[in-house]
Amino acid sequence: MAQAARTQRSLLSLLNSDGKEHPVENTIAIVTVVLGAIAICTTLSPSLHLVSSWVGLIGIGTGLWGQFISSTTGERFLLIIGLGAAAVGFYLGLAHGGLFGGVIG
């Protein structure tokens, strides 16, 4: 019987769904998700508002840039997840004390 051969699918093959490699775009997507996770995790402690607000702000910047240069739907999916997490971390960090921690203003 003839059966279709199954190929191994990894995270990079899901991100490179068009068959081409996108190392820069994939790296930006993964960095955005990591920054978003750090921003969310540090909002659990209000004393870490400097970390959550700055990491969230950087995550928002990388997420927006990644959306600008992304090539595949998988990359855009990860970017939106990371961008949302970074934005929530950023805004909660601002609510807990802001970017400068009361030093300015």
Side-chain angles (χ1 to χ4, degrees):
M1 291 180 101
Q3 295 179 350
R6 294 186 184 191
T7 59
Q8 295 277 336
R9 297 202 52 113
S10 66
L11 177 64
L12 288 179
S13 68
L14 293 175
L15 293 178
N16 298 330
S17 59
D18 61 350
K20 300 175 188 172
E21 291 186 10
H22 308 285
V24 174
E25 292 87 347
N26 294 343
T27 303
I28 290 177
I30 292 170
V31 165
T32 302
V33 169
V34 169
L35 290 173
I38 292 170
I40 286 288
C41 290
T42 55
T43 59
L44 298 176
S45 175
S47 63
L48 294 175
H49 63 87
L50 288 172
V51 176
S52 63
S53 58
W54 281 105
V55 170
L57 184 62
I58 294 168
I60 290 170
T62 58
L64 291 176
W65 180 254
Q67 283 289 328
F68 183 67
I69 65 169
S70 64
S71 301
T72 63
T73 304
E75 292 166 357
R76 292 183 190 113
F77 177 78
L78 282 182
L79 284 165
I80 289 298
I81 298 297
L83 186 59
V88 169
F90 172 69
Y91 292 128
L92 287 176
L94 287 181
H96 289 155
L99 289 168
F100 300 106
V103 176
I104 300 175

